[in-house]
């Protein structure tokens, strides 16, 4: 049932019709306001703010269609349901009623039960509209908040990343300088090596973050050139010498395809991320295999370890941001689950593909780059 307090305005030039509608509606507990003509009706919408208007079509002076249009133009009347009452049963009148902004259309003679049902329906519609608008406003407010937060986050990321990158890079450079000192004691040398590794790991994290946010903004654009894979992989393996020795893992290379058309910086960081992951999972005494191969669809790179591997169900999920295996935080020192996200975005920015296979035992990360010019 509708609230019995709802106020209905009846606009009709015929006194008998008005009296009939009034009696029917009041019997149902509605409050009824009467207007004997169009201009009176419009005024009553402003002063009485009814919940629903019953509007006769044919009236001397301003007719029902004109009244409805003017009600719609009022702030009080924009969403008030208007039910037309008319003796005319033709499609043309019906179309005109809809065009004028009417919600419903009743033909005379009107049976009291039908009148009540239509009024109830109109009131329900109005209530639903109000609720819908409330929901819509809520969703819009939430969307605006999210948008604002997103923009703040982007600014913060750019800030943090740029301000961190330079000092960490400088740290690494100074560590490299120190290592050139022949007088350095073995213990000091080891410490400096450690500083370098930590700095590199931090730098890797910062650059992953930077490139992921670049990619979100559509700004991760590779600058490809012909890259010599023998040279590049040798340099990378060299960087990991200390860590692989500490982990007692040997790094093996097998260069089938000697070059690839890719962005040298991005490719270096993709491989660094994959080796970093593999070293974290490879058991002591095992081998880590880095291979390149020319296939009909392009150049394939593969990095395989003998670790615990990645369960089938997780092979897609691990590429999503912040996804790490269980207990991973303890395992990784600076790990945040961003490495593979960066790898996928960077490989795909080249038009390539990256996926995981079972190395039986272990995980094999494979990439395919389309062959360039
Ligand atoms: N070689 C691998 N063997 C087994 N699991 C792996 C291997 N490489 C990645 N994973 C799993 O995938 C997850 C996501 O890897 P990803 O490189 O994105 O993050 P991370 O290494 O934990 O942190 P980050 O790279 O940001 O320092 C890892 O936490 C791990 O569970
Ligand atoms: Mg990683």
């Amino acid at each position: 049932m509708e609230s019995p307090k709802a106020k209905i305005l009846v606009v009709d030039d015929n006194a008998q019709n008005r009296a009939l509608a009034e009696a029917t509606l009041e019997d149902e507990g509605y409050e009824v306001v009467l207007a004997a003509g169009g201009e009176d009706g419009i005024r009553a919408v402003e002063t009485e703010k009814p919940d629903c208007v019953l509007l006769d079509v044919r009236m001397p002076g301003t007719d029902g269609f004109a009244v409805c249009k003017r009600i719609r133009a009022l702030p009080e009347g924009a969403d008030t349901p208007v039910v037309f009452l008319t003796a005319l049963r033709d499609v043309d009148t019906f179309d005109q009623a809809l065009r004028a902004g009417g919600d419903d259309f009743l033909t005379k003679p009107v049976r009291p039960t039908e009148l009540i049902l239509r009024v109830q329906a109109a009131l329900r519609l109005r209530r639903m509209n109000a609720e819908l608008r409330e929901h819509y406003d809520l969703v819009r407010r939430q969307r605006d908040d999210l948008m604002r937060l997103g923009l703040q986050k982007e600014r913060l990321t750019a800030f943090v990343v740029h301000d961190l990158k330079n000092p960490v890079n400088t740290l690494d450079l100074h560590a490299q300088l120190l290592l050139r000192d022949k007088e350095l004691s073995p213990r000091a040398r080891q410490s400096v090596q450690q500083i370098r590794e930590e700095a590199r790991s931090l730098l890797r994290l910062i650059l992953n973050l930077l490139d992921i946010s670049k990619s979100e903004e559509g700004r991760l654009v590779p600058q490809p050139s012909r890259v010599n894979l023998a040279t590049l992989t040798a340099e990378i393996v060299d960087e990991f010498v200390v860590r692989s020795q500490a982990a007692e893992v040997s790094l093996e290379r097998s260069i089938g395809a000697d070059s690839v058309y890719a962005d040298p910086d991005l490719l270096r960081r993709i491989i660094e991320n994959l080796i970093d992951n593999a070293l974290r999972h490879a058991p002591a005494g095992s081998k880590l295999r880095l291979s390149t191969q020319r296939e009909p669809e392009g150049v394939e790179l593969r990095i395989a370890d003998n670790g615990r591997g990645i369960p089938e169900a997780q092979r897609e999920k691990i590429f999503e941001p912040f996804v790490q295996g269980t207990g991973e935080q303890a395992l990784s020192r600076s790990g945040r689950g961003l490495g593979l996200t960066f790898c996928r975005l960077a490989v795909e920015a080249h038009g390539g593909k990256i996926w995981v296979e079972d190395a039986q035992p272990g995980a094999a990360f494979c990439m395919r780059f389309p062959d360039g010019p």
Side-chain angles (χ1 to χ4, degrees), residues 204 208 273-274 276-277 280 324 335-340:
R204 186 176 56 76
N208 286 348
N273 267 291
L274 295 177
D276 174 78
N277 282 351
R280 259 185 231 169
Q324 296 189 302
R336 288 293 173 274
L338 292 175
L340 290 178

Side-chain angles (χ1 to χ4, degrees), residues 94-112:
F94 177 71
D95 284 345
Q96 259 184 294
L98 287 186
R99 269 204 304 278
D103 295 285
D104 203 354
F105 189 84
L106 266 173
T107 51
K108 296 179 191 175
V110 183
R111 284 181 297 126

